[in-house]
Amino acid sequence: MRTVDATWQEWLATNVSRGCTPESMVEAMVQAGFEADAARELVRNAASATELQADLIAPSEDAARTYHYDACPVAAGNRIRAHDRDVAVRLRIERPQVISFDDVLSDDECTELIERARHRLKRSTTVNPDSGREDVIKMRTSEGFWFQRCEDPFIERLDRRMSALMSEPLEHGEGLQILRYATGGEYRPHFDYFPPGQSGSALHTARGGQRIATLIAYLNDVEEGGETVFPDAGLAVSASRGGAVYFRYMNGRRQLDPLTLHGGAPVVRGEKWIMTKWMREREYV
Ligand code: PD2
Ligand code: ZN
């Protein structure tokens, strides 16, 4: 049986305070080798420590049932014209709203993004839900670099393409982020939206409101591991160069979809490079 080291303690505290459901946390721990009863007990203790016991009474299935899936804004069809490029649709899931694509980026674009980011990488951070500060924590072991939105013609073309593909206005997009995971790097399951009602979220939602959808594009083929996983949907998307996964978690009623809990599985062999585009509900300034 696995033991609770400092990394897991930090993971428990962070995910409870980010608003993850107890069930999803237990599931992630069981997948990582914990016994279910032990995992439940640990999650319960972590929740009571942060006075979020109410979450234990609201099972994730109930929360998922109450999320209303309105029409996905991404265009229909097997190929989508996205600004300057035809993108291939590989898979569509309705609940949660997830789409996987091929050909979002060309090989040359993947190479250029990696080369431009390689020497400017910094250890990735996670938003602290209480303070709103960016903390370096062990649940996210990657290095990242942000481009300014439309900072030059190459980046502008990609910003416009992602905006067209996601069917959201260019101005609602955060700048593109490049992430690199070395072998063993991972991003444990989390939500990309800012947990409502927590003090730290206000700092982030002040700039453009809530995050509503994510697109993760893969810049290289990962030799083994590194899938983007959705534990509550039983879905794993492999990282393949030029491909991408899109998911949407806020609807027109401003509800948030708990089924979009997702993570980056540990990279078993090789390294993993991704580009992320997050969309906000309003103009991101
Ligand atoms: O690298 C990934 O697959 C991944 C998974 C989950 C990235 C993110 N989340 C993220 O950057 O939010
Ligand atoms: Zn994420």
Side-chain angles (χ1 to χ4, degrees), residues 18 140 187-188 190-192 211 214 216 228 247 260 262-264 276 278:
R18 286 184 75 136
R140 188 177 192 194
Y187 194 175
R188 295 204 188 143
H190 60 275
F191 298 108
D192 281 359
R211 281 183 178 155
T214 301
I216 297 171
T228 302
F247 47 102
T260 59
H262 66 289
T276 310
W278 282 293

Side-chain angles (χ1 to χ4, degrees), residues 49 78 82 98 114 135 160 164 205-206 231 236 247:
N78 297 337
V98 178
I114 291 174
D135 292 345
R160 288 192 183 280
T205 54
F247 47 102

